[in-house]
Amino acid sequence: MIGVKEVLASCPMLAGFPECAFDELTAMARVNRFRTGEPIYEGGSMQSSLSVIARGSVRLTSVNPAGREATLMLFEEGSWFGDSVFSPGMPRVYSVTAHEDTELVELPGDKLRALMASYPASYPVALDLVSRRLLAALTTLEDDALRSVPVRIGRRLLLLAELQKSGESANVTLKLTREQIANLMGMTRQGVHKSLKDFEEEGLLEFSYGQVTITDPAALKEFVESQ
């Protein structure tokens, strides 16, 4: 059994709460488990909760009218999702699917907002993190419009590494195949093949079964910024 209080205490979104509030957060939390590929919620649903990933990883997805699924973002252990928790009455924008076997600690939106009202110092932390997410989304739009394919791929992988809260000097492993990276970029596998191969030859990426390792995020950042 996961330590619910420990998971919540390590979540950046909840860092504005005082230590005494985590007993209240733990009391309202529920743990849910999902198998690989299982839907967590669908876009358009009115569910309102903040989810913290205790184990595993999830992917945010969108499906076009023809049924083709596009991966928009990947969140791994320790990350949080569910920004709509701060907009009661608004539907979920995207779907979320378990990328692998996953355990979530979920906080109901109404109870979380009530507790935040009791501890106003929690709001600036939450606002800062939501703003950072918005900036990341706008940066992705800019990349898609203005950057070359290798730079787009490199910057997207660096964004995923940053969301894992890993230091720039350490290597970072992401649970993504070449095909999943292509899906994340909205491209075919053939479209990203040359760029990924170039990154491998530069020693910036290493692929193994079901995952890719950024061997040196600082070097990858320097490489893409030089292009």
Side-chain angles (χ1 to χ4, degrees):
M1 180 67 177
I2 61 173
V4 172
K5 187 174 181 179
E6 290 75 14
V7 170
L8 295 176
S10 66
C11 177
M13 174 58 77
L14 305 174
F17 282 103
E19 185 176 352
C20 61
F22 282 92
D23 287 333
E24 296 174 81
L25 287 165
T26 302
M28 72 174 70
R30 56 179 180 265
V31 177
N32 284 315
R33 297 172 178 83
F34 302 87
R35 295 192 178 278
T36 302
E38 185 177 353
I40 294 173
Y41 58 72
E42 300 291 339
S45 67
M46 298 303 295
Q47 178 188 21
S48 175
S49 62
L50 183 75
S51 300
V52 185
I53 304 173
R55 182 177 66 87
S57 58
V58 307
R59 60 181 184 267
L60 272 64
T61 63
S62 182
V63 180
N64 69 11
R68 180 173 178 269
E69 181 183 274
T71 298
L72 306 174
M73 187 55 66
L74 183 75
F75 292 127
E76 302 213 15
E77 185 175 316
S79 298
W80 55 274
F81 62 93
D83 304 40
S84 62
V85 71
F86 301 114
S87 303
M90 294 292 291
R92 302 279 198 182
V93 179
Y94 302 113
S95 301
V96 178
T97 302
H99 190 63
E100 58 184 330
D101 288 354
T102 296
E103 292 185 23
L104 301 178
V105 177
E106 298 184 307
L107 299 172
D110 54 348
K111 294 181 179 180
L112 176 61
R113 290 190 297 272
L115 191 61
M116 291 181 74
S118 300
Y119 298 100
S122 63
Y123 274 103
V125 174
L127 180 60
D128 177 65
L129 291 175
V130 171
S131 297
R132 289 173 183 269
R133 287 270 176 96
L134 176 59
L135 178 60
L138 293 174
T139 299
T140 298
L141 290 175
E142 179 187 36
D143 287 348
D144 289 347
L146 301 176
R147 311 284 184 178
S148 66
V149 170
V151 173
R152 286 173 56 197
I153 295 171
R155 284 167 64 92
R156 188 68 63 88
L157 293 176
L158 286 169
L159 173 60
L160 292 174
E162 182 181 346
L163 290 173
Q164 277 195 213
K165 303 296 181 185
S166 297
E168 284 195 353
S169 61
N171 63 25
V172 182
T173 297
L174 304 169
K175 297 178 180 68
L176 288 171
T177 64
R178 289 176 174 84
E179 184 175 355
Q180 289 167 338
I181 292 172
N183 183 273
L184 184 67
M185 302 305 301
M187 302 172 65
T188 64
R189 180 169 175 170
Q190 292 77 13
V192 303
H193 174 74
K194 183 180 185 306
S195 297
L196 294 177
K197 186 175 181 180
D198 288 345
F199 284 141
E200 283 186 280
E201 291 177 350
E202 291 287 337
L204 300 171
L205 297 181
E206 291 180 356
F207 283 91
S208 56
Y209 182 74
Q211 62 187 30
V212 56
T213 297
I214 305 173
T215 56
D216 188 341
L220 179 58
K221 182 177 181 181
E222 182 178 355
F223 180 85
V224 299
E225 289 181 348
S226 69
Q227 303 301 301

